[in-house]
Amino acid sequence: MQNPDPQPTRRQFLSALAASSLAAPAVAMASAPARGPELLVRKALRPIAISSGNGMKAVELALAQMQAGVRPVDAAVAGVNLVENDPHDMSVGYGGRPNADGIVELDSCVMDGPTHLAGAVASLRNIKNPSLVALKVMRRTDHVLLVGEGALRFARLHGFKEENILTEEARKAWLRWRERLSTKDDWVPRKDNELPPKNGKQHDEDEEEREHGTIHLSALNSAGTLGAVTTTSGLAYKIPGRVGDSPLIGCGMWLDNDIGSAGSTGRGEAVILSNGSAQIVEQMRQGKSPTDACLELCKRIAHYTRISRLLTEDGKPAFQVNFYAINKKGEWGAASLYPSRCSLATEDGIERKDMAALYERRSK
Ligand code: GLY
């Protein structure tokens, strides 16, 4: 696909940089006032892509695309499209867990560093790749966020194919959830468990199945351009119309092309109430490393979590949140409330990495 919004030329890059009061750390300025104009010497950066634990293939593709010259936001979206299209990832796109009515509603946002533009969709039905629709919102409208029926109509008008994105596995998981909600209604569960084993284990009858799975991907290319995306089916069995952090610019994802990029997965309500990703970029602007910035937001979430239904017996958040970040120098970091792993792609290879954790383990 042709890139409709190419990278700035070297001349544009240098003049934008000279005009900026926030010169990027990756740019060294060697001045020689007596002999002539200032020279800007730009060091090539090592490209990097960071994602949630479910993003190993996504970061690999995003890095390869950036190395082939694709703009980071497009490379990031191409990466997460692999996961959106995967019927077995039940947290994102096709195969995502549905809402309480059994209908899959997807949320996504994208952001582009050089233009500082963003696009997002929320509660989008029947379209496999909400991230591609978010890209269209960014590039083909003067808006940032389209929701529900309006987002679907916009996608239709741009030629996106409507299809059934509720897989058999997700339908059966929903039915099982619905039938086990109450013994006082008319829904009666099967005696056996027809769901396939998860991580090699049968589903536990008492297991909490209302996951907040999501994928975030932040990408930086060798020219120092940032791009990012977050995409999700949101909280499993949510109230129809519920929107989490993922499509909200500044919450589930944020970037400032002079500073860095950040994104989140996990309980969206907690990320919204801490303005998570935007605050991480602000922490990096103040000089914090990506990991310390992510940890700071984990601490804030713990501080803001005050009501008992959201707390464990020992007073910690009874949910998970994960943050991922890269800065303009190409340094990465990640932290979560409880131990978790992220996916990382650099020129050294594709790796799963342990994230810093605020707490060692989660009690009941
Ligand atoms: N973080 C995804 C959601 O809560 O919807």
Side-chain angles (χ1 to χ4, degrees), residues 146-160:
L146 296 180
V147 305
E149 181 57 29
L152 178 58
R153 281 168 55 189
F154 172 80
R156 256 188 228 131
L157 292 170
H158 275 280
F160 285 87

Side-chain angles (χ1 to χ4, degrees), residues 107 212-214 232 234-235 242-246 264-269:
D107 300 336
H212 294 82
T214 300
T232 189
L235 173 65
R242 176 265 188 190
V243 171
D245 58 325
S246 302
S264 64
T265 62
R267 182 180 157 81
E269 285 74 7

Side-chain angles (χ1 to χ4, degrees), residues 62-287:
L63 184 77
Q65 290 218 350
M66 286 193 291
Q67 286 167 330
V70 174
R71 195 177 181 88
V73 66
D74 295 290
V77 169
V80 302
N81 285 167
L82 297 176
V83 183
E84 288 177 333
N85 292 338
D86 177 357
H88 301 301
D89 189 313
M90 294 178 76
S91 68
V92 178
Y94 176 59
R97 283 192 172 79
N99 67 18
D101 291 345
I103 299 167
V104 182
E105 290 184 332
L106 304 176
D107 300 336
S108 180
C109 70
V110 299
M111 201 159 174
D112 175 58
T115 57
H116 201 72
L117 289 177
V121 289
S123 300
L124 177 67
R125 299 179 176 189
N126 301 350
I127 306 285
K128 250 184 186 174
N129 300 114
S131 60
L132 288 174
V133 185
L135 262 186
K136 284 273 187 248
V137 172
M138 181 176 86
R139 291 197 167 125
R140 303 291 292 274
T141 77
D142 189 36
H143 304 318
V144 170
L145 173 62
L146 296 180
V147 305
E149 181 57 29
L152 178 58
R153 281 168 55 189
F154 172 80
R156 256 188 228 131
L157 292 170
H158 275 280
F160 285 87
K161 193 171 94 196
E162 272 190 84
E163 54 197 307
N164 176 20
I165 56 176
L166 180 69
T167 57
E168 272 301 278
E169 193 180 346
R171 184 187 63 78
K172 285 178 183 167
W174 174 82
L175 202 52
R176 190 174 129 86
W177 168 80
R178 182 65 193 80
E179 289 174 343
R180 293 172 64 241
L181 263 188
S182 168
T183 52
K184 294 186 187 140
D185 65 13
D186 300 326
W187 294 80
V188 181
R190 280 169 65 127
K191 294 256 177 317
D192 62 334
N193 180 359
E194 60 176 339
L195 291 176
K198 189 180 164 195
N199 303 329
K201 288 190 295 189
Q202 267 308 329
H203 284 251
D204 177 349
E205 282 297 307
D206 298 323
E207 183 189 330
E208 173 57 75
E209 290 176 15
R210 299 193 63 206
E211 294 170 2
H212 294 82
T214 300
I215 183 165
H216 166 75
L217 198 153
S218 279
L220 175 82
N221 71 8
S222 56
T225 297
L226 287 158
V229 58
T230 300
T231 178
T232 189
S233 50
L235 173 65
Y237 322 133
K238 59 196 173 188
I239 295 174
R242 176 265 188 190
V243 171
D245 58 325
S246 302
L248 302 184
I249 308 298
C251 298
M253 186 271 291
W254 173 254
L255 67 78
D256 179 326
N257 208 51
D258 295 325
I259 306 297
S261 175
S264 64
T265 62
R267 182 180 157 81
E269 285 74 7
V271 178
I272 295 170
L273 292 172
S274 62
N275 189 219
S277 298
Q279 293 301 319
I280 288 173
V281 174
E282 288 313 300
Q283 292 287 317
M284 293 196 288
R285 193 193 304 280
Q286 303 307 321

